[in-house]
Amino acid sequence: MMDKNFRKEYKLVLSSAEVEDFLYMFNCKSNEIYEKRQVQSLYMDTKNYDLFYNSESYDIDKYTLRYRKYSNNKNINFEVKENSMLGKHKTSIPSSYKNFEEVKNLNYKNYQTTPTLYVTYMRNYYTFETARITVDKGMIFKSTINRTLSTRIYNSYLNILEIKLLDHKNIDIEYLLLQNPQKFSKYKYGVSKIYNLLG
């Protein structure tokens, strides 16, 4: 059975210096909860990028499909991130795949999808009060063999700091934010860079 988690999330797109300022200001580095690990994802979409364009056009009833693995675990999970009337939630279930190359097709809610985008980055994990903070650095986006004849790679110098509220307690999130939260999807960003798609 899938694990479904509803949670509030706030994203900031920051420079390296701004990330360090944030971590110093809230003493996050003394509250690191996991070792840094590499995250690898394989995103799925239809031949015509329907999920990409749906995400651009709608605020709810949209979702992202991906297979994900971490450097400290050989397992590959299938994950769905969805925006619904109830809020944002993620479901995750172990897959039978041993590597991403085994993934060929996926039929999900009448969408026939195929591998579309590889994304790799390093992630650090911290806690602050009732929030979990992650910092993603060194994002690398790569095309899939079924989409392009030659491999396309895009290296991003953006850093994504995400604040996730872990419970329903009222905490003043505003004082944690150095700037207004931003909408940022690694999938949408990567697809637009690799395949020159415009939202």
Side-chain angles (χ1 to χ4, degrees):
M1 186 172 183
M2 282 193 173
D3 173 36
K4 181 176 288 189
N5 295 306
F6 288 87
R7 54 192 177 186
K8 291 185 178 180
E9 302 175 347
Y10 303 86
K11 290 184 181 180
L12 302 174
V13 182
L14 304 176
S15 67
S16 295
E18 288 171 331
V19 169
E20 291 303 312
D21 287 344
F22 182 99
L23 297 178
Y24 175 80
M25 185 181 303
F26 298 104
N27 197 29
C28 292
K29 287 194 173 181
S30 63
N31 296 314
E32 193 162 7
I33 54 177
Y34 303 117
E35 290 186 6
K36 179 173 65 175
R37 57 184 178 175
Q38 185 185 66
V39 182
Q40 294 177 285
S41 299
L42 171 60
Y43 287 87
M44 308 292 287
D45 207 334
T46 66
K47 178 181 179 182
N48 296 320
Y49 302 97
D50 290 309
L51 301 185
F52 171 84
Y53 287 115
N54 286 347
S55 185
E56 285 286 307
S57 301
Y58 305 108
D59 290 328
I60 60 173
D61 296 328
K62 60 183 182 180
Y63 46 87
T64 303
L65 310 177
R66 70 188 179 205
Y67 290 92
R68 171 165 287 188
K69 66 179 179 179
Y70 298 90
S71 56
N72 64 338
N73 194 323
K74 294 181 179 179
N75 297 330
I76 295 177
N77 287 345
F78 171 62
E79 299 183 346
V80 180
K81 294 191 72 175
E82 183 172 2
N83 282 10
S84 69
M85 292 292 293
L86 299 176
K88 295 180 180 180
H89 65 266
K90 183 180 77 173
T91 56
S92 181
I93 188 172
S95 77
S96 60
Y97 295 117
K98 302 300 181 184
N99 56 69
F100 287 150
E101 287 69 31
E102 295 178 358
V103 181
K104 302 301 180 185
N105 299 286
L106 171 70
N107 186 357
Y108 187 84
K109 292 188 176 181
N110 296 320
Y111 285 106
Q112 290 289 342
T113 69
T114 61
T116 301
L117 184 73
Y118 293 105
V119 182
T120 303
Y121 53 90
M122 299 302 299
R123 170 169 286 181
N124 290 80
Y125 303 80
Y126 310 92
T127 57
F128 182 82
E129 295 187 5
T130 59
R132 189 184 81 173
I133 296 169
T134 58
V135 178
D136 298 338
K137 296 182 177 182
M139 292 184 292
I140 302 173
F141 303 90
K142 188 172 75 170
S143 62
T144 55
I145 193 170
N146 58 302
R147 295 279 178 172
T148 58
L149 295 177
S150 59
T151 300
R152 300 177 185 174
I153 297 176
Y154 181 81
N155 294 278
S156 173
Y157 296 100
L158 298 179
N159 302 290
I160 310 303
L161 189 147
E162 187 169 33
I163 303 168
K164 299 181 177 72
L165 301 186
L166 301 179
D167 57 32
H168 298 291
K169 294 180 181 178
N170 291 322
I171 82 168
D172 184 9
I173 197 66
E174 297 299 327
Y175 83 101
L176 282 176
L177 304 180
L178 303 177
Q179 60 188 47
N180 291 330
Q182 298 162 265
K183 292 183 178 180
F184 185 87
S185 162
K186 293 182 180 72
Y187 175 64
K188 288 165 56 179
Y189 178 82
V191 164
S192 66
K193 295 295 185 181
I194 293 293
Y195 304 111
N196 298 318
L197 298 185
L198 298 177

